[in-house]
Amino acid sequence: MKVLSVFGTRPEAIKMGPLVRALGEAQHIESIVCTTGQHRAMLDQVMSLFGIVPAHDLDVMVANQTLNGLCSRLFERLDALYEQVKPDRVLVHGDTTTAMTAAVAAFHRRIPVGHVEAGLRTGDVQRPWPEEMNRRVIDVVSDWLFAPTASSRANLEREHLGGRIVVTGNTVIDALRQTVARLDGDGALRAAVDAPFGMLDPRRRLLLVTGHRRESFGSGFENICRALAELAARDDLQVVYPVHLNPNVQGPVNAHLGGLRNVHLVPPQDYLSFVRLMQRADVILTDSGGVQEEAPALGKPVLVMRDVTERPEAVEAGVVRLVGTESARIVAAVIDAISAPPSATGFDPGASPYGDGHASDRIVAALLEQPFTEFRPASRVAAIPFPA
Ligand code: UD1
Ligand code: UDP
C-alpha cells in the first residue's frame, strides 16, 4: 500500500512526525512524504529534529501569502504530484490550507483520504478562520476519520459523514512523549537547550507566550501586546515569547514589545527547545491549538486568547481557560494564574484528555485493517487546577 503523507506547516510536521516514523516501520506500507512548504523555516526546524526527509517538496510559501494564492499554488502542484506518485492513500493532518487542498485534490482524483485529527469543531465557521471551514471540508471528503477524542467522534457522527471513524488519541502526545524522553534522558542536551535562556531570573514566574491566529490580526494583537506590556512592569514576572514569522504578527509584537524589560522576544523555537520552555513555564498564554493539547500532559495551566475552542476537553477538565483578546481580561487572568503555587514539571500522559502516546500505532493498524483498541483517557485526567 503506497501511503502518501502530505503536510506543510510546523504543527502538522510535529503531529505527523511520529506517524511518519510508524508508517516507515510498518510492513506492507510504502511510506512517502511530501511537504508542501506552506511554512519554510518553521517547517524545516521540525523536519530536521524528527529526521524526516521528504521525497517531494512543493515549496509553495511566499512572503505574506494570501489564502487564495496559496490554494491555487497548492492545487496545481498537488495534482501534478498525485499524477506522478499515484498513491493508494493520502494522509492529511488537521485544518491548514495544505491539508484542505491535499484532501480535495485527492478526492478529485478518487484517491482515498485519511484525516488525522478529524472532527474538531467550534461550530462557528469564522473562528478559527479559515481552519473551521478547512476541517469540515476535509472530513466530508475523507474515507478514514482519525478522531483524537470521543467528543470529536461525536461531532463527526452528528454530521452523518461517509468515512470510517476511529478514536485514536492525538499524535501530538506521541510527539511530546518522544521529545520529553529525549530531554529527560540527556542532561547535556537539557543544558544546551537551556543555554540561550541564561538571562531568565529564577525568582520570577515564567510566562510563556505564543500567538498567530488570523482572526486576531489587527486590534486583537494590539490588545495582546498592551496586556503583555502591562504585565512586564511587574517585579514577579518575566515573559518569553517566541514570535511567529508571519509579518502580521512580527509587526505589532516588535513595535509594542521590542526592548521592554522582562520581555524576551525570541525566534520560533525548535520543538525540543519549545517543549523545554513549556516544562519550565509557570503559565502559558497562547492561541495555539497544539499547545492547548500539550500543556495538560506537562501539568501546565494554559490561558487561551480566544473566545471559543475546538478543544473543549481541557477546558472542561479545568486546565485551560479561555480569556479572549481583551487586554484587561488577559492581565487579570495571568495575575490570577501566577498566584497559584508552581505546578509539576513531569510528563504524565495519564493527565491528558488528548492522547496516551499510541495514536500513530492505532492509525497504522486501522489503515492495515489490523485489530487495535481505541483511545480512552485515563480517569485521572488534568489534575492541575487554577487557583480557586
Ligand atoms: C498557518 C495555518 C494555521 C496554523 C499555523 C501554524 C492556514 C490557513 N493557516 O498559519 O492553521 O495554525 O500555520 O503556525 O493554513 N512565514 C515565514 N516562515 C515560516 C512560516 C511562515 O516567513 O516558516 C510567514 C510568511 O510570510 C507566510 C506567512 O508567515 O506567508 C503566513 O504563513 P501561513 O502558513 O499562510 O499562515 P500561518 O499564519 O502561519
Ligand atoms: N511550537 C514550537 N516552537 C515554538 C512555538 C510552538 O515548536 O516556538 C510547537 C508547539 O509545541 C506545538 C506547535 O508548535 O506543538 C503549535 O504550532 P502553532 O502554534 O504554530 O500552530 P497551531 O497548533 O495553532 O495550529
Side-chain angles (χ1 to χ4, degrees), residues 10-11 14-15 39 42 45 95 172 210 212-213 242 244 267-271 274-275 278 287-291 294 311:
R10 167 173 70 191
I14 290 169
K15 292 170 163 186
H39 281 176
M42 288 163 57
Q45 276 181 330
D95 55 17
V172 77
T210 76
H212 67 82
R213 296 247 80 88
H244 192 289
Q269 299 292 296
D270 68 44
Y271 191 53
F274 190 74
V275 168
M278 286 195 285
D287 61 16
S288 159
V291 175
E294 291 160 339
R311 295 167 167 92

Side-chain angles (χ1 to χ4, degrees), residues 24-45:
E25 289 167 358
Q27 283 187 341
H28 313 299
I29 287 182
E30 181 191 348
S31 170
I32 305 167
V33 172
C34 169
T35 58
T36 63
Q38 176 178 335
H39 281 176
R40 192 69 280 165
M42 288 163 57
L43 173 74
D44 295 345
Q45 276 181 330

